[in-house]
Amino acid sequence: MVAQIIGELFAVFVLWSGNVIRQEELNPATHIYTYRQSGLYSHHGIYIGEDNIIHFTRTGVNKTSLDSFRREGEKLHSLHSYAYGRPLLEYWLMRWGTRTTLPDAKLPEEVINKAWELYEGNSFGKYDLINNNCEHFAVFCRTGVRASAQTALVSIGQHRAKEVKEWIMKLLHRIKLK
């Protein structure tokens, strides 16, 4: 009984923390991420093989070594594998920025080609923490859809705030006309 409870708690912890993957287990086209700032957020990229990754930062689309991608100061963070096609309940209950309900429909060659194309043209647009970040980039390479679970709620909140502001401005305009 105790072993079963410990096993279930461990399973929840593994789902919450994401799928840790060792460097030697990586396959080209894998969407990987590392935690930053003591787990406050995660940084994402596409593994392209030969210990290299293409990722999106404030300076644009970059190609770096895995060690550079994993490094934060003196610390080398563990790598995690991003999960695709997850059930909605798992998506909502687990740590954001680790999985998506979107299907992973592209072939590995297509994913790598898209990452290279965006790198060579530095053509993923201007970096925006909420609306165009590294998770958007990696998910886009894998699915063709720009999506970030980490920032989804903030993005929705921004959209709703804009709608409320427009409604208030219309209301004030009507009051002013009367």
Side-chain angles (χ1 to χ4, degrees), residues 11 66 86 89 107 116 135 153 172:
L66 274 171
R86 307 314 307 159
L89 182 60
L107 296 172
W116 271 111
E135 186 179 0
L153 286 179
L172 290 173

Side-chain angles (χ1 to χ4, degrees), residues 55-129:
H55 58 120
F56 187 52
T57 69
R58 293 181 196 285
T59 63
V61 181
N62 299 290
K63 178 180 153 256
T64 61
S65 71
L66 274 171
D67 280 352
S68 293
F69 177 78
R70 296 172 55 198
R71 186 170 307 284
E72 184 179 33
E74 295 297 314
K75 183 173 183 179
L76 270 182
H77 293 280
S78 59
L79 296 170
H80 299 265
S81 176
Y82 196 84
Y84 285 85
R86 307 314 307 159
L88 192 56
L89 182 60
E90 180 183 320
Y91 171 77
W92 283 104
L93 291 178
M94 298 305 124
R95 188 171 188 168
W96 286 38
T98 64
R99 63 201 67 240
T100 183
T101 59
L102 293 170
D104 184 16
K106 287 187 175 182
L107 296 172
E109 302 86 43
E110 294 174 302
V111 174
I112 292 169
N113 287 341
K114 179 53 71 178
W116 271 111
E117 174 189 322
L118 294 170
Y119 166 68
E120 288 172 346
N122 196 17
S123 56
F124 198 65
K126 186 177 181 212
Y127 184 91
D128 179 299
L129 180 63

Side-chain angles (χ1 to χ4, degrees), residues 91-92 96 130-131 135-136 148-161:
Y91 171 77
W92 283 104
W96 286 38
I130 305 302
N131 299 303
E135 186 179 0
H136 287 99
S148 171
Q150 289 185 101
T151 62
L153 286 179
V154 175
S155 183
I156 290 167
Q158 280 183 334
H159 180 71
R160 291 290 182 233

